[in-house]
Amino acid sequence: MWVAAIALLVAIKSVPVIANLASRHQAMNQTTIGSALVNTYGAFGSVGMVRHELVIEGTRDAEPATAAWSAYQLPCQPGELARRPCVLGPYHRRLDWLIWFAAMDEQPREPWLIHLVWKLLDGDREVRALLAVDPSPGAAPRYVRIRRFVYHFAPAASADWWIRDQEALWLPPVRAR
């Protein structure tokens, strides 16, 4: 009886929350009742229409201006244009998630990302184990850079899943020594 009463209370108090979620003008991260028994929660107040992604690249070449760069790929980051979107849940891969957040900034601001670049330059095995694709397994790159793109879904007729444009050098080539 007690469980049924609690379930009924939650169901009644959930009506405004469900109405809010079905609304075109959702109010995120708000408690709709004073007891905080039910509420709307979201990481964002709204979802943007633009998807920025960072592409981390490394090279063993001596001169970064003329180098052949190869991309590191994370397990669920779009990366290569022909790569199918990753579907998993209810959780995100942490590094992919953090890099996606970092890409929202026009320039590097996150100390952890600079530390990640340093770890790549140092050839750290634990960091490299987080990658889906390491373009130079067993060898640390001489330089690392990060480019920022805007990704869009490709048209259905395309062989690729993604289109990317608005390339910008987000972190210029850096070297460990």
Side-chain angles (χ1 to χ4, degrees):
M1 189 66 133
W2 177 248
V3 171
I6 296 290
L8 181 62
L9 175 65
V10 170
I12 291 169
K13 295 297 186 178
S14 295
V15 170
V17 173
I18 293 168
N20 177 49
L21 292 173
S23 168
R24 294 181 59 90
H25 303 288
Q26 294 180 6
M28 300 299 286
N29 301 327
Q30 277 189 319
T31 299
T32 55
I33 61 171
S35 67
L37 181 63
V38 293
N39 62 50
T40 56
Y41 171 78
F44 304 102
S46 65
V47 176
M49 298 300 289
V50 177
R51 181 183 183 127
H52 290 99
E53 288 289 342
L54 300 179
V55 176
I56 302 171
E57 298 173 318
T59 186
R60 301 264 323 130
D61 295 349
E63 181 54 48
T66 58
W69 294 90
S70 299
Y72 293 94
Q73 283 193 13
L74 299 172
C76 286
Q77 186 182 35
E80 290 296 319
L81 302 181
R83 190 173 192 197
R84 187 183 72 164
C86 181
V87 178
L88 63 113
Y91 306 106
H92 299 282
R93 294 209 176 244
R94 183 74 173 162
L95 185 57
D96 298 58
W97 176 255
L98 288 170
I99 287 180
W100 177 55
F101 271 103
M104 293 178 191
D105 288 328
E106 303 261 340
Q107 59 190 10
R109 296 185 198 280
E110 302 291 340
W112 67 264
L113 191 53
I114 303 305
H115 188 70
L116 175 72
V117 168
W118 165 254
K119 289 292 198 175
L120 290 172
L121 288 166
D122 194 42
D124 187 281
R125 288 183 184 168
E126 290 180 14
V127 167
R128 293 165 80 115
L130 299 173
L131 306 170
V133 174
D134 183 349
S136 57
R142 183 171 285 163
Y143 290 93
V144 170
R145 72 177 183 186
I146 302 177
R147 295 186 300 158
R148 182 177 180 240
F149 295 93
V150 173
Y151 274 71
H152 312 275
F153 278 115
S158 173
D160 291 333
W161 280 91
W162 303 99
I163 296 170
R164 67 182 182 192
D165 55 26
Q166 299 182 26
E167 176 184 355
L169 188 59
W170 197 75
L171 179 70
V174 292
R175 182 179 175 157
R177 300 165 203 19

